[in-house]
Amino acid sequence: MKEHFGYEKCKGKKLLAVGIEEYEELIEAAHEMGVYVILIGRNADITTAYAKYMADEVWCDDYSNIDKVVEKCRLNGVSGVMAGYSEFKVLFAAKIAAALGTPFYATEEQVNITRNKRSFKDLCLKHGIPVAKDYCFSKPLTEEEKQLVIYPVIVKPTDYAGCKGITVCYNEEQLNEAIEYALQYSDSQSIICEEYVVGTELMAIYTVANGEISLSSLSEKFISQDHERISGLCDIVLAPSRYYEMYVENIDVQIKELLSNIGVKNGVAFFQGIANEQGVKIFEMGYRLNGNNDCRVIEKYNGINYMKMLISYSLTGSMGDDLKKERAHFGRYLCTLCTYLNEGTIGEVDYSALQDKDWVDGIHSYVEVGKSISSDDSTQRRGIFVKLSGTSLDEIAEYIKEAQRSIVVTDVHGNNMLFKPFDTNRLFF
């Protein structure tokens, strides 16, 4: 793999990754850079995480005990700290890095602004970025405000990620239930209730290096239809989006201004929105890695790997690569097939039939035999994610069908645990 001009400075350094679950991609990228990876997590993190087998070292410690962690880092020669897909863990990584005196791409203030849906929505309005109409201006919603609601609306906690606590409501009875449900996941006991915009969900990924902000990918999500509640779980992530030109023309500049104005100089951010023929409305962002794990595929067709750039920044204070190669419109379709599991204990996992296909760019398993899947409607249900690419939507549709036929996940009694297959006809409407 080609060396980038800054990555050689990372060789031999030790990286502490806060948390243990789902860090396989991070560990793999770090090892390619010659980096020694230490995972730190509580006992509960360690029991089921496959990443613990890939890491060079695992610390079974409470990462919220900053002083203890920093002391251990100094004793063991840790050069940098990083976190992945959880804003909660990103905050602790920022605190540890600050106390240790090592670089970190984000400040606590920046993460708190972007992780709170209310603060972020206010930030969008300030920068002229379209957002959905809001019905909630109190904690959580007064009877007077409920009378002003025009259904359908979507209710979600202001301060929680991971697709939990989200409900679409079509009447007041559902609204009352949704409020109670959302409050279960809100530390601040506050929610957002806003118009439910019908359309295609978009995700824009931005890579930032030395103050330069570049759009790395614009994808669209096809939300799962096999689920008790409407949430962020999606069957397919497809790039580039059919709304690419609309987004670049009407939203891209304002997003870059927002990032600049909150002081973003380095790192990775993603924005989520809803697009239809009337335009795009943005509803959420994260100043962190996104859960689609698409850095490897973007590197293959775009030229940069933002995971490696983040690792480089944590260890050296430099992103280690520039953005000259960036092109968010890849000239072909990139697709992630996301499978999810119904509750049960896994008895068999098999996707071996896909491993030699030339149209498969990568396979990531979030499951292993013996793991128990709970009934909560969150990203904890993730099964096998398959990255594939093709030159047309017809080609992508055929690859999706073959991939779905090839993935087997059954429970200990031999019953299928997978959500129902994605209907590829949805790609064309």
Side-chain angles (χ1 to χ4, degrees):
M1 185 163 291
K2 180 183 176 182
E3 280 287 344
H4 295 276
F5 60 82
Y7 292 169
E8 65 273 8
K9 298 178 182 178
C10 300
K11 288 182 178 178
K13 292 184 180 292
K14 291 185 177 182
L15 176 73
L16 180 72
V18 177
I20 290 182
E21 312 96 319
E22 301 163 8
Y23 276 180
E24 293 92 334
E25 187 74 39
L26 185 153
I27 297 168
E28 186 176 286
H31 283 169
E32 289 176 3
M33 299 164 69
V35 174
Y36 185 97
V37 182
I38 302 170
L39 300 182
I40 181 170
R42 304 178 176 98
N43 287 330
D45 294 330
I46 293 175
T47 53
T48 60
Y50 180 72
K52 66 185 177 183
Y53 301 112
M54 298 176 62
D56 299 290
E57 195 172 335
V58 177
W59 293 353
C60 184
D61 291 299
D62 183 355
Y63 46 76
S64 67
N65 189 336
I66 305 298
D67 292 340
K68 181 179 179 181
V69 173
V70 168
E71 180 183 5
K72 195 167 183 177
C73 285
R74 288 179 175 146
L75 288 172
N76 287 272
V78 170
S79 299
V81 186
M82 190 170 163
Y85 313 103
S86 160
E87 283 146 346
F88 178 76
K89 291 169 186 172
V90 169
L91 280 171
F92 279 108
K95 292 177 181 178
I96 295 167
L100 189 60
T102 58
F104 196 76
Y105 71 93
T107 66
E108 290 182 56
E109 181 182 9
Q110 289 170 332
V111 175
N112 281 323
I113 289 172
T114 57
R115 74 188 288 257
N116 185 286
K117 296 176 177 64
R118 172 67 59 200
S119 298
F120 173 64
K121 193 167 188 177
D122 292 341
L123 203 58
C124 285
L125 292 169
K126 177 181 177 181
H127 289 87
I129 298 170
V131 295
K133 180 180 178 181
D134 209 327
Y135 291 104
C136 185
F137 301 95
S138 56
K139 296 173 63 174
L141 203 71
T142 67
E143 292 302 319
E144 290 77 12
E145 287 171 344
K146 289 178 185 178
Q147 299 308 310
L148 299 175
V149 169
I150 299 175
Y151 296 95
V153 293
I154 187 167
V155 176
K156 47 196 173 184
T158 62
D159 49 1
Y160 199 94
C163 305
K164 292 184 179 181
I166 302 172
T167 311
V168 174
C169 310
Y170 295 89
N171 55 55
E172 187 170 344
E173 181 180 357
Q174 292 178 349
L175 175 61
N176 290 331
E177 293 176 357
I179 291 170
E180 295 303 316
Y181 175 60
L183 288 173
Q184 294 176 32
Y185 295 97
S186 174
D187 291 336
S188 63
Q189 289 297 284
S190 59
I191 66 166
I192 281 184
C193 174
E194 63 188 13
E195 67 171 319
Y196 178 54
V197 181
V198 178
T200 301
E201 185 170 332
L202 302 183
M203 181 170 66
I205 300 172
Y206 287 84
T207 305
V208 190
N210 298 317
E212 181 184 356
I213 303 169
S214 177
L215 178 63
S216 298
S217 173
L218 181 71
S219 57
E220 55 187 65
K221 295 182 176 183
F222 292 81
I223 303 302
S224 174
Q225 296 179 336
D226 186 3
H227 207 256
E228 296 173 356
R229 293 179 182 268
I230 301 293
S231 76
L233 297 187
C234 60
D235 290 332
I236 295 292
V237 182
L238 182 70
S241 167
R242 74 194 83 177
Y243 294 102
Y244 179 85
E245 287 78 12
M246 176 191 289
Y247 179 90
V248 170
E249 182 177 345
N250 298 308
I251 303 291
D252 182 58
V253 172
Q254 294 95 311
I255 292 290
K256 289 176 179 176
E257 288 176 352
L258 184 155
L259 289 170
S260 292
N261 289 341
I262 63 172
V264 171
K265 299 295 183 183
N266 295 282
V268 176
F270 66 89
F271 293 79
Q272 292 177 273
I274 300 291
N276 54 36
E277 299 308 317
Q278 286 70 50
V280 180
K281 292 185 178 181
I282 300 296
F283 63 84
E284 191 168 344
M285 80 164 286
Y287 190 18
R288 57 176 173 82
L289 296 167
N290 72 84
N292 194 40
N293 249 338
D294 43 17
C295 54
R296 183 76 62 182
V297 180
I298 289 176
E299 179 182 31
K300 181 175 180 179
Y301 296 105
N302 189 336
I304 68 163
N305 185 315
Y306 58 75
M307 177 78 81
K308 291 181 178 179
M309 293 174 78
L310 278 183
I311 293 170
S312 175
Y313 191 84
S314 295
L315 293 171
T316 70
S318 166
M319 293 288 276
D321 202 351
D322 59 41
L323 302 174
K324 293 178 181 177
K325 301 180 288 293
E326 277 274 78
R327 54 176 189 139
H329 203 296
F330 305 99
R332 63 193 290 114
Y333 288 101
L334 309 184
C335 175
T336 304
L337 168 64
C338 313
T339 66
Y340 296 92
L341 307 181
N342 292 301
E343 55 265 34
T345 300
I346 298 171
E348 180 186 5
V349 178
D350 184 13
Y351 49 87
S352 57
L354 294 175
Q355 292 178 326
D356 295 325
K357 301 295 183 182
D358 58 8
W359 42 268
V360 173
D361 291 320
I363 305 173
H364 189 93
S365 174
Y366 293 95
V367 295
E368 56 186 2
V369 171
K371 181 177 181 179
S372 294
I373 307 299
S374 69
S375 60
D376 73 8
D377 53 332
S378 74
T379 52
Q380 301 306 313
R381 288 177 175 263
R382 285 183 286 193
I384 312 297
F385 280 26
V386 181
K387 308 285 186 184
L388 52 93
S389 60
T391 57
S392 69
L393 283 181
D394 287 326
E395 204 169 62
I396 290 292
E398 291 306 310
Y399 294 157
I400 290 171
K401 291 175 184 176
E402 184 171 349
Q404 290 182 140
R405 290 193 297 266
S406 302
I407 297 172
V408 175
V409 183
T410 59
D411 65 17
V412 291
H413 305 293
N415 301 310
N416 175 46
M417 293 182 68
L418 295 163
F419 279 20
K420 66 183 180 183
F422 174 74
D423 179 2
T424 56
N425 290 321
R426 293 173 62 190
L427 295 174
F428 303 95
F429 297 98

